[in-house]
Amino acid sequence: MRKMLAAVSRVLSGAAQKPASRVLVASRNFANDATFEIKKCDLHRLEEGPPVTTVLTREDGLKYYRMMQTVRRMELKADQLYKQKIIRGFCHLCDGQEACCVGLEAGINPTDHLITAYRAHGFTFTRGLSVREILTELTGRRGGCAKGKGGSMHMYAKNFYGGNGIVGAQVPLGAGIALACKYNGKDEVCLTLYGDGAANQGQIFEAYNMAALWKLPCIFICENNRYGMGTSVERAAASTDYYKRGDFIPGLRVDGMDVLCVREATRFAAAYCRSGKGPILMELQTYRYHGHSMSDPGVSYRTREEIQEVRSKSDPIMLLKDRMVNSNLASVEELKEIDVEVRKEIEDAAQFATADPEPPLEELGHHIYCSEPPFEVRGANQWIKFKSVS
Amino acid sequence: MAAASGLVRRPLRQVSGLLRRRFHRTAPAALQVTVRDAINQGMDEELERDEKVFLLGEEVAQYDGAYKVSRGLWKKYGDKRIIDTPISEMGFAGIAVGAAMAGLRPICEFMTFNFSMQAIDQVINSAAKTYYMSGGCQSVPIVFRGPNGASAGVAAQHSQCFAAWYGHCPGLKVVSPWNSEDAKGLIKSAIRDNNPVVVLENELMYGVPFEFPEAAQSKDFLIPIGKAKIERQGTHVTVVAHSRPVGHCLEAAAVLSKEGIECEVINMRTIRPMDIETIEASVIKTNHLVTVEGGWPQFGIGAEICARIMEGPAFNYLDAPAVRVTGADVPMPYAKILEDNSIPQVKDIIFAIKKTLNI
């Protein structure tokens, strides 16, 4: 027993020595940056595409790694909380697709705009909300970013327009945000995302037409994860070349599992739009490990082997980690430390999200109208009234 | 002769003053403005007042508007502010909502509200619900406007009234102007409102001139959304309507007045949020209620008014069940005799009033 206690105390004091080992790590000579080859994008109506090499600085690499790991662990935590019935209703997870949200954000400015559909937790984070605000919204508590009123699909941040539940409806919205960008003349662009399933929605083609007609600075982005719910792309689309579906709109097909490829393609697309040439389309080829939502195990329409193959060969976090370690941009230990920090951040956020109280019943009627003096909202019968405050 | 010599004897200053006074007295009082011009004026003033306001829809720019409501605006404001769209209701309604989310103040015209059905998801799910779903983070200051309800001879697919459909949804405001004053005041309020507002106009009213009071000629003339107007005071029965039927109710009231029946005619002006208080106060006074609307009877505006009256203080003052006058429960037919009998006529209103008064 005493030996065990001694062993435990050694382990604990070893943990306390971490600061020292961190100093050791920091003083090691890392490269400042490294150049990587990235996959060439398939092009549609474009003479040239994004570059096939890119420079990654150590600082950016660590940042992307941390962000992707945060999204990954946040989604896995949401999975856990859902299975514990602490999160209810819809929960669409994006683990596997981290290179998309992190890579897109790396290619634009915070003053640019982004809108997506319901698989939105990753973007909500990369656009600036904290894990705590996101998880607390998922658990439906008062500390959630939408005060518990929206849930998984309705989270908003500055220059981030959700989080939209109706498949495809967000695409005309995105074109409208791009119209506002052009109207205001500030050189901003709008990233308008949709999935391979949504790509067959008629309103998307209406948006393509108007965006091209009016040269709106809109980057249409198809996040192709091969399945629209349980329907594979081959069973849904007569043409699965989503990057060509914009017809008169130039397009590029991008390796959506490589954060650097996504970043370069986004920079390229954003520059195209900012130059006033009109809209452009990007197809990001990516993959989701989870099923469509938490109610879908995700194995009835695809094989476990397929999922495992993507995980072992194309995982975006693993790809970045290997690149960074092999080019001496970071050490394995350093990245492990980041993993530990991220885990802690997620754990703290989850604890908060679980403990935070639900919104007060009195707020049920709030936020019906904006800028309105308080009024009464009817409840389940004529005697139940809620006060509505803007 | 005496008058002329009187004028000559007066110093010039006084004479010109006399002429000035006479000029001011006559011009504004007789000003007649059609509903179309009132809406046009309202939009023009708001476009001028706030750069963020713009208009988009089919034929609104170079055609001057399918019903000429936006006449002259494109010439004045150009391509940036007055935008012709392709025939893509779902697309351009979504674009308008997105622009509103990003801080602009769009006026989205549906050529008729029948076509808004193609875009209704954007109106309800993207516009109406967003402020609530976002916990107050994201507002949508947009106006959807266009002609609603029956026209003349345009048959079933072009004659539906959407007051009940849009009035059903929390998060939306829905207004329904009757005359020119309503039209101008409500469109201006709608544009200045930070919420999604549906403005249900009426094609048959566009060309109708009304006297335009001086107050309405001001660039800051607003009619508050959510407040009904008593167009005619009365004591025997409360008659409530919105849009074109308000005029029919006033006609019915004029006929009945000769028979000693005094109708209190209420112009709802707003469908949602409904001003039930004005209706209740009136029913408490008159003890009788007749509602009039162009739309279908089931689940309509009159049905809602009746339900609310039952739930409130006015129920105890009713001397007879409330009565609804509505469009016929059929898709609008084409033949004139059929169409005429598918919408509430003055005789139908008179009949209903007499029925509820047991006359």
Side-chain angles (χ1 to χ4, degrees), chain A residues 147 149-150 154 156 169 172-173 176 183 203 206 364 366-367 369-372 378 382 390, chain B residues 51 80-81 88 90-92 94-95 98 121-122 131-135 172-173 194-195 311:
Chain A
K147 304 190 175 72
K149 301 288 260 307
H154 306 297
Y156 297 79
L173 294 182
Y183 195 100
Q203 58 187 315
E206 294 189 9
L364 186 146
H366 287 1
H367 308 120
Y369 293 135
C370 178
S371 321
E372 191 86 356
R378 186 191 167 108
Q382 71 206 61
S390 288
Chain B
E51 263 184 8
K80 181 181 171 182
R81 313 279 305 279
S88 308
M90 200 164 182
F92 72 69
I95 283 176
D121 175 68
Q122 296 289 5
Y131 193 68
Y132 187 87
M133 289 193 302
S134 67
L172 271 189
K173 294 190 182 182
N194 287 334
N195 294 288
E311 291 175 349

mmCIF file of all heavy atoms in Angstrom, chain A residues 147 149-150 154 156 169 172-173 176 183 203 206 364 366-367 369-372 378 382 390, chain B residues 51 80-81 88 90-92 94-95 98 121-122 131-135 172-173 194-195 311:
data_model
loop_
_atom_site.group_PDB
_atom_site.id
_atom_site.type_symbol
_atom_site.label_atom_id
_atom_site.label_comp_id
_atom_site.label_asym_id
_atom_site.label_seq_id
_atom_site.Cartn_x
_atom_site.Cartn_y
_atom_site.Cartn_z
ATOM 1 N N LYS A 147 -29.054 31.951 -25.607
ATOM 2 C CA LYS A 147 -29.825 31.930 -24.364
ATOM 3 C C LYS A 147 -30.702 30.690 -24.248
ATOM 4 O O LYS A 147 -31.703 30.701 -23.544
ATOM 5 C CB LYS A 147 -30.696 33.191 -24.244
ATOM 6 C CG LYS A 147 -29.895 34.489 -24.332
ATOM 7 C CD LYS A 147 -30.745 35.682 -23.972
ATOM 8 C CE LYS A 147 -29.959 36.970 -23.942
ATOM 9 N NZ LYS A 147 -29.552 37.468 -25.257
ATOM 10 N N LYS A 149 -32.500 29.425 -26.525
ATOM 11 C CA LYS A 149 -33.693 29.518 -27.367
ATOM 12 C C LYS A 149 -33.523 28.821 -28.709
ATOM 13 O O LYS A 149 -34.487 28.540 -29.403
ATOM 14 C CB LYS A 149 -34.047 30.987 -27.650
ATOM 15 C CG LYS A 149 -34.316 31.851 -26.438
ATOM 16 C CD LYS A 149 -35.625 31.538 -25.783
ATOM 17 C CE LYS A 149 -36.753 32.494 -26.137
ATOM 18 N NZ LYS A 149 -36.441 33.895 -25.919
ATOM 19 N N GLY A 150 -32.257 28.568 -29.105
ATOM 20 C CA GLY A 150 -32.042 28.076 -30.469
ATOM 21 C C GLY A 150 -31.624 26.620 -30.555
ATOM 22 O O GLY A 150 -32.153 25.875 -31.363
ATOM 23 N N HIS A 154 -29.084 26.807 -34.355
ATOM 24 C CA HIS A 154 -29.392 28.237 -34.440
ATOM 25 C C HIS A 154 -28.463 29.048 -33.557
ATOM 26 O O HIS A 154 -28.901 29.729 -32.640
ATOM 27 C CB HIS A 154 -30.861 28.456 -34.053
ATOM 28 C CG HIS A 154 -31.804 27.597 -34.858
ATOM 29 N ND1 HIS A 154 -31.934 27.718 -36.219
ATOM 30 C CD2 HIS A 154 -32.621 26.586 -34.502
ATOM 31 C CE1 HIS A 154 -32.798 26.815 -36.656
ATOM 32 N NE2 HIS A 154 -33.229 26.115 -35.647
ATOM 33 N N TYR A 156 -25.466 32.009 -33.493
ATOM 34 C CA TYR A 156 -25.031 33.148 -34.300
ATOM 35 C C TYR A 156 -23.869 33.854 -33.614
ATOM 36 O O TYR A 156 -23.763 33.851 -32.399
ATOM 37 C CB TYR A 156 -26.182 34.144 -34.480
ATOM 38 C CG TYR A 156 -27.366 33.578 -35.228
ATOM 39 C CD1 TYR A 156 -28.271 32.752 -34.575
ATOM 40 C CD2 TYR A 156 -27.563 33.860 -36.579
ATOM 41 C CE1 TYR A 156 -29.352 32.206 -35.257
ATOM 42 C CE2 TYR A 156 -28.657 33.326 -37.259
ATOM 43 C CZ TYR A 156 -29.538 32.500 -36.600
ATOM 44 O OH TYR A 156 -30.613 31.964 -37.273
ATOM 45 N N ALA A 169 -31.834 26.630 -47.662
ATOM 46 C CA ALA A 169 -32.342 27.999 -47.499
ATOM 47 C C ALA A 169 -31.222 28.980 -47.202
ATOM 48 O O ALA A 169 -31.332 30.168 -47.498
ATOM 49 C CB ALA A 169 -33.394 28.051 -46.396
ATOM 50 N N PRO A 172 -29.442 31.185 -50.608
ATOM 51 C CA PRO A 172 -29.873 32.532 -50.984
ATOM 52 C C PRO A 172 -29.566 33.562 -49.897
ATOM 53 O O PRO A 172 -29.205 34.700 -50.199
ATOM 54 C CB PRO A 172 -31.377 32.388 -51.201
ATOM 55 C CG PRO A 172 -31.584 30.961 -51.533
ATOM 56 C CD PRO A 172 -30.560 30.204 -50.756
ATOM 57 N N LEU A 173 -29.668 33.155 -48.622
ATOM 58 C CA LEU A 173 -29.317 34.095 -47.548
ATOM 59 C C LEU A 173 -27.883 34.559 -47.721
ATOM 60 O O LEU A 173 -27.573 35.746 -47.602
ATOM 61 C CB LEU A 173 -29.479 33.433 -46.175
ATOM 62 C CG LEU A 173 -30.884 33.036 -45.712
ATOM 63 C CD1 LEU A 173 -30.837 32.445 -44.313
ATOM 64 C CD2 LEU A 173 -31.817 34.229 -45.730
ATOM 65 N N GLY A 176 -27.457 36.980 -50.335
ATOM 66 C CA GLY A 176 -27.959 38.276 -49.868
ATOM 67 C C GLY A 176 -26.947 38.988 -48.999
ATOM 68 O O GLY A 176 -26.800 40.218 -49.070
ATOM 69 N N TYR A 183 -22.951 46.165 -51.732
ATOM 70 C CA TYR A 183 -23.697 47.414 -51.501
ATOM 71 C C TYR A 183 -22.891 48.368 -50.631
ATOM 72 O O TYR A 183 -22.813 49.565 -50.891
ATOM 73 C CB TYR A 183 -25.001 47.048 -50.811
ATOM 74 C CG TYR A 183 -26.092 48.089 -50.779
ATOM 75 C CD1 TYR A 183 -27.158 48.045 -51.678
ATOM 76 C CD2 TYR A 183 -26.099 49.086 -49.810
ATOM 77 C CE1 TYR A 183 -28.197 48.962 -51.624
ATOM 78 C CE2 TYR A 183 -27.124 50.018 -49.757
ATOM 79 C CZ TYR A 183 -28.184 49.944 -50.661
ATOM 80 O OH TYR A 183 -29.215 50.857 -50.600
ATOM 81 N N GLN A 203 -33.396 26.322 -55.060
ATOM 82 C CA GLN A 203 -33.099 27.701 -54.675
ATOM 83 C C GLN A 203 -31.606 28.009 -54.757
ATOM 84 O O GLN A 203 -31.217 29.170 -54.860
ATOM 85 C CB GLN A 203 -33.641 28.017 -53.281
ATOM 86 C CG GLN A 203 -33.132 27.121 -52.164
ATOM 87 C CD GLN A 203 -33.845 27.410 -50.857
ATOM 88 O OE1 GLN A 203 -34.025 28.579 -50.498
ATOM 89 N NE2 GLN A 203 -34.258 26.397 -50.136
ATOM 90 N N GLU A 206 -31.131 29.245 -58.182
ATOM 91 C CA GLU A 206 -31.627 30.623 -58.269
ATOM 92 C C GLU A 206 -30.577 31.578 -57.709
ATOM 93 O O GLU A 206 -30.333 32.650 -58.263
ATOM 94 C CB GLU A 206 -32.942 30.757 -57.475
ATOM 95 C CG GLU A 206 -34.079 29.941 -58.073
ATOM 96 C CD GLU A 206 -35.438 30.232 -57.426
ATOM 97 O OE1 GLU A 206 -35.552 31.181 -56.629
ATOM 98 O OE2 GLU A 206 -36.390 29.500 -57.732
ATOM 99 N N LEU A 364 -39.717 32.966 -21.707
ATOM 100 C CA LEU A 364 -40.274 32.210 -22.835
ATOM 101 C C LEU A 364 -40.750 33.124 -23.958
ATOM 102 O O LEU A 364 -40.623 32.827 -25.133
ATOM 103 C CB LEU A 364 -41.427 31.327 -22.345
ATOM 104 C CG LEU A 364 -42.029 30.356 -23.366
ATOM 105 C CD1 LEU A 364 -42.469 29.083 -22.668
ATOM 106 C CD2 LEU A 364 -43.233 30.986 -24.068
ATOM 107 N N HIS A 366 -39.694 36.234 -24.582
ATOM 108 C CA HIS A 366 -38.748 37.281 -25.005
ATOM 109 C C HIS A 366 -38.281 37.096 -26.441
ATOM 110 O O HIS A 366 -38.316 35.996 -26.981
ATOM 111 C CB HIS A 366 -37.516 37.274 -24.094
ATOM 112 C CG HIS A 366 -37.771 37.817 -22.719
ATOM 113 N ND1 HIS A 366 -38.993 38.264 -22.291
ATOM 114 C CD2 HIS A 366 -36.935 37.986 -21.679
ATOM 115 C CE1 HIS A 366 -38.900 38.673 -21.042
ATOM 116 N NE2 HIS A 366 -37.667 38.516 -20.638
ATOM 117 N N HIS A 367 -37.813 38.218 -27.020
ATOM 118 C CA HIS A 367 -37.166 38.207 -28.344
ATOM 119 C C HIS A 367 -38.074 37.761 -29.478
ATOM 120 O O HIS A 367 -37.619 37.155 -30.450
ATOM 121 C CB HIS A 367 -35.901 37.336 -28.351
ATOM 122 C CG HIS A 367 -34.939 37.680 -27.265
ATOM 123 N ND1 HIS A 367 -34.555 36.787 -26.299
ATOM 124 C CD2 HIS A 367 -34.321 38.842 -26.974
ATOM 125 C CE1 HIS A 367 -33.727 37.397 -25.474
ATOM 126 N NE2 HIS A 367 -33.567 38.638 -25.849
ATOM 127 N N TYR A 369 -39.947 40.220 -31.043
ATOM 128 C CA TYR A 369 -39.659 41.368 -31.899
ATOM 129 C C TYR A 369 -38.413 42.077 -31.405
ATOM 130 O O TYR A 369 -38.063 42.008 -30.224
ATOM 131 C CB TYR A 369 -40.816 42.364 -31.894
ATOM 132 C CG TYR A 369 -42.096 41.879 -32.526
ATOM 133 C CD1 TYR A 369 -43.312 42.102 -31.902
ATOM 134 C CD2 TYR A 369 -42.090 41.223 -33.755
ATOM 135 C CE1 TYR A 369 -44.498 41.681 -32.481
ATOM 136 C CE2 TYR A 369 -43.281 40.786 -34.336
ATOM 137 C CZ TYR A 369 -44.474 41.016 -33.693
ATOM 138 O OH TYR A 369 -45.649 40.596 -34.268
ATOM 139 N N CYS A 370 -37.795 42.804 -32.312
ATOM 140 C CA CYS A 370 -36.618 43.621 -32.005
ATOM 141 C C CYS A 370 -37.070 45.057 -31.796
ATOM 142 O O CYS A 370 -37.997 45.521 -32.470
ATOM 143 C CB CYS A 370 -35.671 43.525 -33.206
ATOM 144 S SG CYS A 370 -34.191 44.494 -33.054
ATOM 145 N N SER A 371 -36.424 45.763 -30.872
ATOM 146 C CA SER A 371 -36.680 47.194 -30.654
ATOM 147 C C SER A 371 -38.141 47.506 -30.339
ATOM 148 O O SER A 371 -38.672 48.516 -30.785
ATOM 149 C CB SER A 371 -36.300 48.033 -31.887
ATOM 150 O OG SER A 371 -35.136 47.589 -32.498
ATOM 151 N N GLU A 372 -38.798 46.627 -29.617
ATOM 152 C CA GLU A 372 -40.228 46.808 -29.372
ATOM 153 C C GLU A 372 -40.444 47.049 -27.879
ATOM 154 O O GLU A 372 -39.821 46.376 -27.061
ATOM 155 C CB GLU A 372 -40.952 45.528 -29.791
ATOM 156 C CG GLU A 372 -42.439 45.618 -29.842
ATOM 157 C CD GLU A 372 -42.930 46.143 -31.173
ATOM 158 O OE1 GLU A 372 -42.104 46.504 -32.019
ATOM 159 O OE2 GLU A 372 -44.158 46.218 -31.357
ATOM 160 N N ARG A 378 -49.274 35.210 -25.534
ATOM 161 C CA ARG A 378 -50.190 34.200 -25.019
ATOM 162 C C ARG A 378 -49.467 32.890 -24.783
ATOM 163 O O ARG A 378 -48.650 32.449 -25.591
ATOM 164 C CB ARG A 378 -51.302 34.019 -26.048
ATOM 165 C CG ARG A 378 -52.417 33.107 -25.605
ATOM 166 C CD ARG A 378 -53.303 32.785 -26.800
ATOM 167 N NE ARG A 378 -54.195 31.690 -26.492
ATOM 168 C CZ ARG A 378 -55.495 31.820 -26.299
ATOM 169 N NH1 ARG A 378 -56.056 33.018 -26.369
ATOM 170 N NH2 ARG A 378 -56.245 30.780 -26.034
ATOM 171 N N GLN A 382 -55.644 31.054 -22.382
ATOM 172 C CA GLN A 382 -55.812 32.512 -22.374
ATOM 173 C C GLN A 382 -55.401 33.142 -21.051
ATOM 174 O O GLN A 382 -55.219 34.358 -20.985
ATOM 175 C CB GLN A 382 -57.255 32.883 -22.693
ATOM 176 C CG GLN A 382 -58.236 32.551 -21.575
ATOM 177 C CD GLN A 382 -59.646 32.336 -22.104
ATOM 178 O OE1 GLN A 382 -59.901 31.437 -22.902
ATOM 179 N NE2 GLN A 382 -60.551 33.175 -21.687
ATOM 180 N N SER A 390 -37.760 42.866 -25.845
ATOM 181 C CA SER A 390 -36.842 42.718 -26.964
ATOM 182 C C SER A 390 -35.428 42.430 -26.509
ATOM 183 O O SER A 390 -34.630 41.936 -27.260
ATOM 184 C CB SER A 390 -36.810 44.002 -27.789
ATOM 185 O OG SER A 390 -38.007 44.134 -28.487
ATOM 186 N N GLU B 51 -30.053 55.430 -46.584
ATOM 187 C CA GLU B 51 -29.322 54.803 -47.692
ATOM 188 C C GLU B 51 -29.406 53.295 -47.702
ATOM 189 O O GLU B 51 -29.143 52.667 -48.724
ATOM 190 C CB GLU B 51 -27.838 55.133 -47.526
ATOM 191 C CG GLU B 51 -27.391 56.291 -48.325
ATOM 192 C CD GLU B 51 -25.890 56.496 -48.180
ATOM 193 O OE1 GLU B 51 -25.204 55.630 -47.577
ATOM 194 O OE2 GLU B 51 -25.442 57.523 -48.669
ATOM 195 N N LYS B 80 -28.529 50.462 -58.095
ATOM 196 C CA LYS B 80 -28.073 49.944 -56.796
ATOM 197 C C LYS B 80 -29.241 49.827 -55.821
ATOM 198 O O LYS B 80 -29.307 48.880 -55.035
ATOM 199 C CB LYS B 80 -26.998 50.870 -56.223
ATOM 200 C CG LYS B 80 -26.447 50.397 -54.879
ATOM 201 C CD LYS B 80 -25.393 51.342 -54.331
ATOM 202 C CE LYS B 80 -25.038 50.956 -52.899
ATOM 203 N NZ LYS B 80 -24.065 51.832 -52.278
ATOM 204 N N ARG B 81 -30.180 50.790 -55.899
ATOM 205 C CA ARG B 81 -31.247 50.840 -54.886
ATOM 206 C C ARG B 81 -32.557 50.208 -55.344
ATOM 207 O O ARG B 81 -33.401 49.849 -54.517
ATOM 208 C CB ARG B 81 -31.536 52.289 -54.483
ATOM 209 C CG ARG B 81 -30.347 53.161 -54.175
ATOM 210 C CD ARG B 81 -29.775 53.002 -52.811
ATOM 211 N NE ARG B 81 -30.710 53.180 -51.728
ATOM 212 C CZ ARG B 81 -31.119 54.354 -51.220
ATOM 213 N NH1 ARG B 81 -30.715 55.487 -51.771
ATOM 214 N NH2 ARG B 81 -31.940 54.399 -50.189
ATOM 215 N N SER B 88 -37.587 34.373 -59.616
ATOM 216 C CA SER B 88 -36.988 33.423 -58.673
ATOM 217 C C SER B 88 -37.392 33.802 -57.263
ATOM 218 O O SER B 88 -36.559 34.242 -56.471
ATOM 219 C CB SER B 88 -35.457 33.477 -58.791
ATOM 220 O OG SER B 88 -35.028 33.318 -60.106
ATOM 221 N N MET B 90 -38.178 32.270 -54.455
ATOM 222 C CA MET B 90 -37.500 31.699 -53.297
ATOM 223 C C MET B 90 -36.086 32.271 -53.199
ATOM 224 O O MET B 90 -35.622 32.632 -52.115
ATOM 225 C CB MET B 90 -37.443 30.188 -53.444
ATOM 226 C CG MET B 90 -37.224 29.468 -52.151
ATOM 227 S SD MET B 90 -37.621 27.738 -52.356
ATOM 228 C CE MET B 90 -37.360 27.142 -50.720
ATOM 229 N N GLY B 91 -35.439 32.373 -54.335
ATOM 230 C CA GLY B 91 -34.083 32.915 -54.384
ATOM 231 C C GLY B 91 -34.014 34.358 -53.948
ATOM 232 O O GLY B 91 -33.218 34.715 -53.071
ATOM 233 N N PHE B 92 -34.855 35.218 -54.543
ATOM 234 C CA PHE B 92 -34.671 36.639 -54.224
ATOM 235 C C PHE B 92 -35.252 37.010 -52.864
ATOM 236 O O PHE B 92 -34.774 37.942 -52.218
ATOM 237 C CB PHE B 92 -35.130 37.578 -55.346
ATOM 238 C CG PHE B 92 -36.611 37.732 -55.592
ATOM 239 C CD1 PHE B 92 -37.444 38.370 -54.683
ATOM 240 C CD2 PHE B 92 -37.160 37.287 -56.787
ATOM 241 C CE1 PHE B 92 -38.796 38.543 -54.948
ATOM 242 C CE2 PHE B 92 -38.512 37.459 -57.066
ATOM 243 C CZ PHE B 92 -39.344 38.088 -56.142
ATOM 244 N N GLY B 94 -34.921 35.020 -50.306
ATOM 245 C CA GLY B 94 -33.807 34.627 -49.458
ATOM 246 C C GLY B 94 -32.679 35.636 -49.505
ATOM 247 O O GLY B 94 -32.081 35.989 -48.484
ATOM 248 N N ILE B 95 -32.396 36.131 -50.700
ATOM 249 C CA ILE B 95 -31.357 37.159 -50.853
ATOM 250 C C ILE B 95 -31.740 38.404 -50.056
ATOM 251 O O ILE B 95 -30.922 38.995 -49.352
ATOM 252 C CB ILE B 95 -31.126 37.484 -52.344
ATOM 253 C CG1 ILE B 95 -30.282 36.366 -52.982
ATOM 254 C CG2 ILE B 95 -30.463 38.834 -52.520
ATOM 255 C CD1 ILE B 95 -30.047 36.502 -54.462
ATOM 256 N N GLY B 98 -31.214 37.704 -46.362
ATOM 257 C CA GLY B 98 -29.781 37.712 -46.061
ATOM 258 C C GLY B 98 -29.236 39.129 -45.994
ATOM 259 O O GLY B 98 -28.450 39.475 -45.109
ATOM 260 N N ASP B 121 -41.048 29.792 -47.088
ATOM 261 C CA ASP B 121 -40.064 29.294 -46.133
ATOM 262 C C ASP B 121 -39.096 30.400 -45.721
ATOM 263 O O ASP B 121 -38.720 30.511 -44.561
ATOM 264 C CB ASP B 121 -39.295 28.125 -46.736
ATOM 265 C CG ASP B 121 -38.177 27.654 -45.835
ATOM 266 O OD1 ASP B 121 -38.470 27.116 -44.759
ATOM 267 O OD2 ASP B 121 -36.992 27.863 -46.182
ATOM 268 N N GLN B 122 -38.691 31.221 -46.685
ATOM 269 C CA GLN B 122 -37.757 32.301 -46.348
ATOM 270 C C GLN B 122 -38.433 33.333 -45.452
ATOM 271 O O GLN B 122 -37.816 33.887 -44.541
ATOM 272 C CB GLN B 122 -37.224 32.960 -47.630
ATOM 273 C CG GLN B 122 -36.396 32.036 -48.519
ATOM 274 C CD GLN B 122 -35.027 31.687 -47.950
ATOM 275 O OE1 GLN B 122 -34.683 32.062 -46.828
ATOM 276 N NE2 GLN B 122 -34.234 30.962 -48.723
ATOM 277 N N TYR B 131 -35.071 36.195 -34.944
ATOM 278 C CA TYR B 131 -34.724 36.979 -33.756
ATOM 279 C C TYR B 131 -34.922 36.143 -32.498
ATOM 280 O O TYR B 131 -34.113 36.165 -31.572
ATOM 281 C CB TYR B 131 -35.561 38.263 -33.696
ATOM 282 C CG TYR B 131 -35.046 39.270 -32.692
ATOM 283 C CD1 TYR B 131 -33.834 39.919 -32.890
ATOM 284 C CD2 TYR B 131 -35.776 39.574 -31.552
ATOM 285 C CE1 TYR B 131 -33.347 40.841 -31.970
ATOM 286 C CE2 TYR B 131 -35.302 40.492 -30.628
ATOM 287 C CZ TYR B 131 -34.092 41.129 -30.837
ATOM 288 O OH TYR B 131 -33.618 42.023 -29.917
ATOM 289 N N TYR B 132 -35.997 35.366 -32.480
ATOM 290 C CA TYR B 132 -36.305 34.519 -31.324
ATOM 291 C C TYR B 132 -35.294 33.390 -31.186
ATOM 292 O O TYR B 132 -34.740 33.156 -30.127
ATOM 293 C CB TYR B 132 -37.711 33.950 -31.474
ATOM 294 C CG TYR B 132 -38.211 33.189 -30.267
ATOM 295 C CD1 TYR B 132 -38.843 33.861 -29.222
ATOM 296 C CD2 TYR B 132 -38.073 31.811 -30.173
ATOM 297 C CE1 TYR B 132 -39.322 33.178 -28.118
ATOM 298 C CE2 TYR B 132 -38.542 31.127 -29.064
ATOM 299 C CZ TYR B 132 -39.169 31.805 -28.040
ATOM 300 O OH TYR B 132 -39.636 31.118 -26.938
ATOM 301 N N MET B 133 -35.051 32.669 -32.303
ATOM 302 C CA MET B 133 -34.159 31.506 -32.275
ATOM 303 C C MET B 133 -32.739 31.891 -31.863
ATOM 304 O O MET B 133 -32.014 31.084 -31.304
ATOM 305 C CB MET B 133 -34.035 30.876 -33.668
ATOM 306 C CG MET B 133 -35.257 30.170 -34.156
ATOM 307 S SD MET B 133 -34.891 29.167 -35.620
ATOM 308 C CE MET B 133 -34.260 30.379 -36.771
ATOM 309 N N SER B 134 -32.361 33.125 -32.195
ATOM 310 C CA SER B 134 -30.999 33.543 -31.907
ATOM 311 C C SER B 134 -30.892 34.163 -30.521
ATOM 312 O O SER B 134 -29.842 34.684 -30.158
ATOM 313 C CB SER B 134 -30.528 34.556 -32.958
ATOM 314 O OG SER B 134 -31.271 35.755 -32.850
ATOM 315 N N GLY B 135 -31.991 34.143 -29.763
ATOM 316 C CA GLY B 135 -31.966 34.740 -28.432
ATOM 317 C C GLY B 135 -31.710 36.236 -28.495
ATOM 318 O O GLY B 135 -31.101 36.817 -27.605
ATOM 319 N N LEU B 172 -43.579 37.741 -36.975
ATOM 320 C CA LEU B 172 -43.919 38.596 -38.113
ATOM 321 C C LEU B 172 -44.831 39.709 -37.650
ATOM 322 O O LEU B 172 -45.595 39.544 -36.714
ATOM 323 C CB LEU B 172 -44.707 37.810 -39.154
ATOM 324 C CG LEU B 172 -44.010 37.051 -40.265
ATOM 325 C CD1 LEU B 172 -45.057 36.562 -41.250
ATOM 326 C CD2 LEU B 172 -42.993 37.914 -40.985
ATOM 327 N N LYS B 173 -44.769 40.836 -38.370
ATOM 328 C CA LYS B 173 -45.832 41.829 -38.239
ATOM 329 C C LYS B 173 -46.550 41.825 -39.588
ATOM 330 O O LYS B 173 -45.910 41.652 -40.631
ATOM 331 C CB LYS B 173 -45.243 43.211 -37.936
ATOM 332 C CG LYS B 173 -44.574 43.265 -36.571
ATOM 333 C CD LYS B 173 -44.230 44.688 -36.196
ATOM 334 C CE LYS B 173 -43.512 44.717 -34.853
ATOM 335 N NZ LYS B 173 -43.198 46.081 -34.416
ATOM 336 N N ASN B 194 -37.709 47.407 -37.214
ATOM 337 C CA ASN B 194 -36.558 46.505 -37.260
ATOM 338 C C ASN B 194 -36.943 45.038 -37.344
ATOM 339 O O ASN B 194 -36.090 44.159 -37.162
ATOM 340 C CB ASN B 194 -35.677 46.725 -36.019
ATOM 341 C CG ASN B 194 -34.904 48.025 -36.096
ATOM 342 O OD1 ASN B 194 -34.630 48.519 -37.192
ATOM 343 N ND2 ASN B 194 -34.578 48.592 -34.954
ATOM 344 N N ASN B 195 -38.221 44.786 -37.609
ATOM 345 C CA ASN B 195 -38.705 43.411 -37.686
ATOM 346 C C ASN B 195 -39.209 43.092 -39.086
ATOM 347 O O ASN B 195 -39.449 44.001 -39.874
ATOM 348 C CB ASN B 195 -39.860 43.241 -36.691
ATOM 349 C CG ASN B 195 -39.392 43.387 -35.277
ATOM 350 O OD1 ASN B 195 -38.715 42.529 -34.742
ATOM 351 N ND2 ASN B 195 -39.744 44.517 -34.658
ATOM 352 N N GLU B 311 -62.976 35.256 -25.333
ATOM 353 C CA GLU B 311 -62.051 35.088 -24.213
ATOM 354 C C GLU B 311 -61.952 36.333 -23.346
ATOM 355 O O GLU B 311 -61.391 36.287 -22.263
ATOM 356 C CB GLU B 311 -60.658 34.736 -24.745
ATOM 357 C CG GLU B 311 -60.578 33.345 -25.359
ATOM 358 C CD GLU B 311 -59.225 33.070 -25.987
ATOM 359 O OE1 GLU B 311 -58.419 34.018 -26.137
ATOM 360 O OE2 GLU B 311 -58.974 31.897 -26.316
#
